[in-house]
Amino acid sequence: MTKTRDEAELKRIALQARRDIIEMIYRAKSGHPGGSLGAAEILVGLYFGEMNHRPNEPQWPERDRFVLSKGHV
């Protein structure tokens, strides 16, 4: 993955992620928006800016792995 995204692009991606979170919670009529919205920028920054991965090759042995455990959030 090429890490050429600038800060403005990452902010746009995070904003869209936040919109998607609200839409999904609304459609499901269930959910905890605080935990999801609170992690949006961190996750976008990691996934789109730092992590080495190839979405089309999920078994790529050199990929980074990310484990999220937010407990009871």
Side-chain angles (χ1 to χ4, degrees), residues 1-31:
M1 179 179 136
T2 305
K3 297 177 193 168
T4 59
R5 292 185 165 97
D6 62 8
E7 185 176 346
E9 184 176 4
L10 290 174
K11 285 182 178 183
R12 284 190 298 276
I13 294 168
L15 180 60
Q16 185 60 53
R18 288 174 168 272
R19 288 177 178 143
D20 292 343
I21 290 164
I22 296 297
E23 179 70 21
M24 287 186 274
I25 290 172
Y26 173 77
R27 288 178 184 238
K29 295 180 178 37
S30 178

Side-chain angles (χ1 to χ4, degrees), residues 4-72:
T4 59
R5 292 185 165 97
D6 62 8
E7 185 176 346
E9 184 176 4
L10 290 174
K11 285 182 178 183
R12 284 190 298 276
I13 294 168
L15 180 60
Q16 185 60 53
R18 288 174 168 272
R19 288 177 178 143
D20 292 343
I21 290 164
I22 296 297
E23 179 70 21
M24 287 186 274
I25 290 172
Y26 173 77
R27 288 178 184 238
K29 295 180 178 37
S30 178
H32 301 279
S36 300
L37 295 172
E41 282 82 7
I42 294 168
L43 295 176
V44 165
L46 286 172
Y47 188 82
F48 292 99
E50 297 297 325
M51 292 182 69
N52 295 309
H53 60 91
R54 297 177 184 165
N56 294 330
E57 293 182 56
Q59 299 304 313
W60 179 49
E62 299 299 316
R63 71 194 181 282
D64 289 338
R65 281 126 172 125
F66 175 78
V67 177
L68 175 65
S69 176
K70 291 191 58 143
H72 190 65

